[in-house]
Amino acid sequence: MLAMFFWAFIIGGLICVVGQLMFDVGRMTPGHTMSTLVVVGAILGGFGVYEPLIDFAGAGATIPITSFGNSLVNGALQEADQHGLVGVLTGMFEITSSGISAAVVFSFIGALLFKSKG
Amino acid sequence: MIQSVNPEPAAVRRNSGKDHELAEKIKKEVQAVPAIYDVAVIKGKREVLVAYKVKHMQRFHMKRIEKEIKEKLEKKYPKETFIVSSDFKIFIEVLELKKRMKDKDYSEKDSEERLQKIIQFKKELT
Amino acid sequence: MGKKKMTPEQEQYKKLEQKHELKRPVLKNCLKAFLVGGTICLIGQAVSYFYMYFFHFTEQTAGNPTVATMIFFSMLLTGFGVYDHIGQFAGAGSAVPITGFGNSVISAAIEHRTEGFVLGVGGNMFKLAGSVILFGVFSAFAVALIKTLLIMWGVL
């Protein structure tokens, strides 16, 4: 169990370093960086490489935004497995729905509770 | 949870000595796989639940290891149905079930019910 | 993007620009991003184990409540103005984790509340998240489509 914490820290940190290099060396905006990382996650998920990384690093691989891309691909593939080609569309948000719903719900609650800092 | 706990194999049907022997043999088989460092076996009425922990650096190959173990067990004991899992939660649930089974008041029916619940957990994907 | 021919004045201006541009301490930034990003993932791992121990979540299913909880934390940090400070310090270390995604949606919602809930909050919430969702969904669609077709044709 302790090994999991260690590798979660390392792998999570490394993915953020990749993002930071995109900021500094690639001169990309946060929007560009995050979009690129999601696409990278989707491609790695398609190759079946991201799931073993999640087995190894736990939250170190599920917390960065790359896991969002991987979950989209996995959801689509799972549905396509059962329902054919149309599953690619219907299954996409199956796994990621908790993240998006949470973001929408909490931002509405946040807008109700908090005042903007000017 | 950090070191290997090495629990005794158990069978739900308390009075069946054959079940218990089978569970012991299965445990030894799985423990022989080098990537694994902890095994918990429970034999229920219809299935055998094998929960194990994989050494961390081998976790990259977790899916392959799961397939290998399942095939190995199914080849050696073709009459049994095996449910194998490397999941941490399944492991601690199995330990909890064994602890409860030691209590004489915990009936076989309850143990079997709880075992089925654990198997349901394993089947959930999201 | 081909190189446009620049007049001598433009060339000179470019040289001047490069001289005065802020040099980014890449190594220091990377170290800060590593530490903060790693810590956020560490907290996420602890939250995951919390859900596994005290609730009926397995390693596979613990991801959902973990993500929801991390976004809840980012709501608190964003609401109290702390997340911006973390962002200044850590750069990508705070933007890359899913808390960064949450922060962008939540801070846009809070900021535009004065413009009303429908037009302000609803209309501006997905400023950054929109591109993430666009490219995420489209690339996932392409990858899943290709993979499914390959499996159907027996190649994979």
Side-chain angles (χ1 to χ4, degrees), chain A residues 37-105:
Chain A
L37 285 176
V38 179
V39 175
V40 167
I43 296 178
L44 293 180
F47 279 119
V49 175
Y50 208 80
E51 284 293 321
L53 188 67
I54 295 182
D55 286 333
F56 181 69
T62 55
I63 297 282
I65 201 96
T66 40
S67 92
F68 188 69
N70 172 63
S71 302
L72 290 170
V73 167
N74 275 345
L77 286 176
Q78 263 176 37
E79 277 299 302
D81 209 22
Q82 293 184 344
H83 298 184
L85 218 49
V86 80
V88 171
L89 289 176
T90 56
M92 186 95 57
F93 282 107
E94 217 178 285
I95 305 182
T96 56
S97 61
S98 77
I100 298 185
S101 310
V104 173
V105 167

Side-chain angles (χ1 to χ4, degrees), chain C:
Chain C
M1 272 195 311
K3 274 214 162 85
K4 290 186 276 226
K5 274 224 144 87
M6 291 192 274
T7 67
E9 286 92 5
Q10 285 178 323
E11 290 263 11
Q12 227 182 8
Y13 183 71
K14 189 161 179 226
K15 284 209 186 90
L16 189 70
E17 215 182 27
Q18 281 176 346
K19 197 164 79 161
H20 287 280
E21 213 177 303
L22 274 173
K23 286 213 172 20
R24 301 183 193 205
V26 180
L27 205 58
K28 213 159 68 153
N29 282 349
C30 283
L31 190 65
K32 290 193 271 190
F34 180 81
L35 290 175
V36 174
T39 310
I40 295 181
C41 290
L42 202 61
I43 297 176
Q45 186 69 60
V47 167
S48 248
Y49 275 138
F50 167 81
Y51 279 115
M52 282 201 261
Y53 254 127
F54 294 107
F55 295 86
H56 287 310
F57 291 105
T58 68
E59 271 172 13
Q60 306 288 334
T61 60
N64 290 339
T66 306
V67 162
T69 312
M70 295 305 280
I71 295 189
F72 175 74
F73 286 156
S74 75
M75 173 185 89
L76 295 177
L77 292 175
T78 307
F80 291 121
V82 177
Y83 208 87
D84 285 330
H85 294 301
I86 301 179
Q88 287 270 10
F89 174 75
S94 68
V96 169
I98 214 133
T99 45
F101 177 79
N103 171 65
S104 74
V105 181
I106 295 170
S107 67
I110 296 178
E111 230 179 270
H112 291 274
R113 176 203 168 164
T114 50
E115 299 167 28
F117 276 103
V118 176
L119 294 177
V121 176
N124 289 292
M125 226 162 72
F126 284 100
K127 273 251 170 70
L128 185 113
S131 36
V132 171
I133 293 180
L134 165 65
F135 287 101
V137 170
F138 187 74
S139 56
F141 172 73
V143 169
L145 187 70
I146 295 176
K147 195 158 180 191
T148 311
L149 286 176
L150 288 179
I151 294 179
M152 269 167 49
W153 294 333
V155 176
L156 265 183

